[in-house]
Structure formats: C-alpha cells, structure tokens
Amino acid sequence: MSPVPSGRALTGTAWAVLLLGLWLWGEDAADRPGRPSAPAAGDIAAVGRPPGAPPPPAHPPLAPAEPLRVEVPSLGVLAPVVPRGLDADGAIDPPPYAMPHTVGWYGSGTRPGSSGAALLVGHVDTESRPAVFYGLSAARPGAAVRVTRSDGSVAEFTIDDVRVLSRDRFDARAAYGPRVPGRAELRLITCGGTFDRASGTYTANVVVSAYLTGVRD
C-alpha cells in the first residue's frame, strides 16, 4: 500500500470528527443510548459468520485496567499498547512513525474490557513498509482479539464485523460508539481504501468491531 508522507497514518477530517462523539467513549458510556448494529455509512468488508453458527455470549464487563498488549492471532499481530491523547487538531494521536509496530489506545476513553467501546489505533504502513495493522482489513468475524491488561488479566474479545468506512460519508458515532448498552466492546482502527496523493491521506478507515467474550487471569 502507498506510504503516508505526513508522519501520521490517521489524519484529516475523518479523525477530526472524533471530537463530535468523544462523550461515547468515557467511563460512563454504558449509561448512554446504544448505537445501531450497523453504521450509517460504509461497506461491510467481511462476510458474517457461517449460517447456523451463533455468536458467543457476551462476558460481563471487567473492572477498569489499562491495556499493555494486544494480540490478533489470525493476523499474526502481537504488539505493545501505549496510551495516546489528542493532537492540536483534535485527532487521536497515533504512535510515532518510529514505533510502527506499536498500537495506540485512546487513554481518555474506555479501558478495554470495561463497559463501552475502547479505541485502539495503529498505522497501516510507514514509508512503504507494512506496519502493525497492515492486515487489519483481512480480519474475519468470529476471530479472537486478546488484550493483556495492567491487572494481569487477559480480556478475550470476539470480532463481530469488519467495515471499511469512506471518509466522505463518515459517521463517527455509528463507527465508534458502543453497539449494545452496557457491553464491553473494542475497536481496532487503521487507514484503508486508496491513498490520495493530492491530499496526503487515505480515502477510508478500516474499523474492526469486537466484544468481550471471556477473561483469563
């Protein structure tokens, strides 16, 4: 995929609109209205689970703890997680380009495993080289995501859908808000679509949604 020359993989208006919906990702997200099960914009990038295979039940939310590491075995992802904030433009600031295989967590939002939707962001590539979330669009419903947390537990999530959301039809609340009130959810986010050299950004975002289905101590 094309490189991103600007020094951040998650740039432009698609990230700026996060300011409109940051209330969804606070610790009190469980008390907010739930979002629709499908976003208002974008295309489903992966087929659903096979007919007749019910999704696993959701596990009750866990006590808050910060994420230390994220693993997606089906994609070969095993990466450290660092807290990130917002940059001067109001966008989530991903890890520096010098850390292409590190994942950023929006530290002012939900902690993975707690009630609400926790946000993990990562680069798709850096200077024409694959980065941590290069293969994220190949994720499939039913696959596992494991987050090692600061309390020593491993929160186990199950992917329920993968979407490619065009930036010109982007709905931040539908993409990143919790799908089911009170459920512990996770979003893995990177750039997608094609690289627009004129604007120096990608044309879409890949958003993988998962929910908590287990925990290991």
Side-chain angles (χ1 to χ4, degrees), residues 36 65 190:
T190 194

Side-chain angles (χ1 to χ4, degrees), residues 84-143:
R84 305 295 289 173
L86 301 178
D87 64 15
D89 298 322
I92 295 178
D93 200 14
Y97 262 18
M99 304 166 64
H101 298 291
T102 297
V103 172
W105 159 61
Y106 178 53
S108 295
T110 300
R111 287 153 174 75
S114 297
S115 177
L119 305 181
L120 299 182
V121 302
H123 293 293
V124 65
D125 54 18
T126 58
E127 298 180 357
S128 299
R129 297 181 181 179
V132 62
F133 281 166
Y134 183 79
L136 194 61
S137 61
R140 292 293 180 265

Side-chain angles (χ1 to χ4, degrees), residues 23 87 183 187 213:
W23 61 272
D87 64 15
R183 191 170 70 168
R187 302 288 183 271
T213 52

